[in-house]
Structure formats: C-alpha cells, structure tokens
Amino acid sequence: MLHSSILTPSLLAGNHAHLAASAQAAAQAGAPWLHLDIMDGHFVPNLTFGAEVLAALRRAGLKTFFDTHLMLAEPQKYIEAFAKAGANLISIHIEPAYDHRATLARIRTLGCQCGIVLNPGTPASAIEPLIGLVDLVLVMTVQPGFGGQPFRSDMLAKLKEIDGWRQSRKLNFRLEVDGGIDLVTAAQCRAAGADTFVAGTSFFKAADQAAFARTIAGF
Ligand code: DX5
Ligand code: ZN
C-alpha cells in the first residue's frame, strides 16, 4: 500500500535557545510529525539533547507526534526514558552490537512505534531480517552527526530495494529518509518509495514553512 507523505522537521535545525517555539512553529505550519535527533558523541561525533528535553517540550504543550531518532552506541539503555518522556516513535540503528530484536520489542511494549535505521555505508540486507517487526525503516541519506550536509543520491537504489521488499512481502512499514532533504530531493525519494521526509535545514530556513509542508503533503 502507498502511504501518504509525512513531513517531519528536524529540531536540530531549530533555535536551541527556544526549541518549544521552533517546535510550535513547525506544528502550526502543518508538519504532522517532529523529528528529534539524539546524539551521544560516541556513535556519532556530536551531542544534542536527552530525554528531559522531550519531556520539557511536552510540558510546554506540544501535542505533536514525536519521531525520535536515537544515534546512540547503546540505545537499549535509553528506550524507557524516551518512552516515558513522550516519544511516539523510537528508531534505533542497526550498526552497533546489541539485541536489536529485543530492543524493538521493548519499544512496542512501552506503547511506542518502533523503527530501524541504517547508515549510508550499511547495505539494505543488514536490516532485511527485521523488516517484518518494525513500523518504520529510516534510510540515512547522509552520514549522521550533523545537519546541512548534501543529499546522497546513491541512496535512491537502497530505497527502491527496501520498497520492493515491502511490496512483495505485503508489509506496511513507513519508509523514511533523513539528511539533505529539500523539495527536490524529497520528490526523488518519493519516486523511489519513501513516504516520510525528515527536513532540518531546508524546512527551518524556508521563507514559507506552511508552503513547504503543503508541498510535501501533496507528494
Ligand atoms: C543527521 C540527522 C538529521 C539532520 C538532518 O545526523 O539525523 O536528522 O538533522 O538535517 P538536514 O535536513 O539539515 O540535512
Ligand atoms: Zn535524524
């Protein structure tokens, strides 16, 4: 089945001194989800926010769907904290060594949707055994760690491969892209099977965020 398009602005590109204001502005512009990039300085060479920031955004009145992308060497240690803080979907990377299946199951048990993520250098085959267990597959279209990097068009073939499995096995997970996504690269990813679009720099720098959200929703 073909999912409708969802825009999920990355708060990494928002104003970190006023994250709630950036989040409210994105929601008011019509973004159905918000993407939170959680980095630990180990799995990726950068630091961002912890679960308390998400809890504070909920306390500030944010009712949006939080799409939480954990770029952590040991994500299994933080699932509970992010679920309690108010995450709706928690995505974990395939690359570090931990029990991926048990961690995905734990995310579900805690009442959240679960996603599996793969870096540009990781082949689609690495996640193939898990695709029947997830609500979302996130294909990184940059090496994670920093916003504002150029889109890697060599990831389009990976999207097509995973979308092919989704169709032939009649699975229903969402297929998300993250990194260098703007209105041009999002359209290319849509044509390759993606339905869920993380946009940091392009969304927060857009002169008209509502028009940006409407364009993605129309894909
Ligand atoms: C990359 C993060 C992305 C990032 C995207 O490490 O996972 O979500 O914020 O930023 P842009 O859209 O600026 O490439
Ligand atoms: Zn991300």
Side-chain angles (χ1 to χ4, degrees):
M1 95 174 234
L2 189 63
H3 286 291
S4 58
S5 294
I6 282 186
L7 169 65
T8 176
S10 169
L11 275 186
L12 185 61
N15 180 343
H16 287 226
H18 300 279
L19 277 180
S22 291
Q24 292 286 13
Q28 272 161 22
W33 289 13
L34 283 176
H35 185 82
L36 270 186
D37 284 305
I38 313 300
M39 305 186 187
D40 66 354
H42 292 277
F43 179 64
V44 289
N46 197 3
L47 295 164
T48 55
F49 346 92
E52 178 51 28
V53 172
L54 173 51
L57 288 169
R58 286 286 187 222
R59 285 197 298 273
L62 265 295
K63 306 236 184 307
T64 194
F65 184 102
F66 273 105
D67 160 27
T68 313
H69 175 195
L70 302 187
M71 285 161 274
L72 308 177
E74 298 186 289
Q76 74 282 10
K77 294 188 176 171
Y78 301 93
I79 301 306
E80 192 129 22
F82 280 97
K84 274 195 186 147
N88 299 93
L89 182 149
I90 299 177
S91 296
I92 55 173
H93 273 259
I94 190 70
E95 292 83 9
Y98 60 94
D99 190 336
H100 304 99
R101 280 172 188 270
T103 307
L104 292 168
R106 181 92 187 111
I107 293 170
R108 284 256 178 92
T109 302
L110 289 163
C112 298
Q113 294 183 34
C114 64
I116 191 77
V117 193
L118 66 174
N119 278 341
T122 303
S125 56
I127 59 144
E128 190 182 357
L130 301 177
I131 59 174
L133 306 175
V134 298
D135 300 292
L136 177 141
V137 172
L138 169 50
V139 172
M140 291 307 301
T141 45
V142 299
Q143 182 63 25
F146 301 92
Q149 305 182 73
F151 174 76
R152 287 190 45 170
S153 55
D154 54 333
M155 294 299 110
L156 293 170
K158 193 189 282 185
L159 287 172
K160 286 182 189 156
E161 189 177 2
I162 296 170
D163 183 45
W165 292 337
R166 178 168 62 173
Q167 291 184 36
S168 61
R169 298 176 202 184
K170 301 195 180 1
L171 295 170
N172 205 24
F173 57 83
R174 283 192 161 272
L175 187 49
E176 184 176 52
V177 284
D178 183 5
I181 299 298
D182 57 24
L183 296 178
V184 172
T185 57
Q188 294 168 359
C189 291
R190 180 64 165 163
D195 46 56
T196 307
F197 304 92
V198 179
T201 310
S202 63
F203 177 81
F204 281 99
K205 289 214 167 125
D208 185 343
Q209 294 183 344
F212 189 106
R214 273 197 307 276
T215 304
I216 296 276
F219 279 172

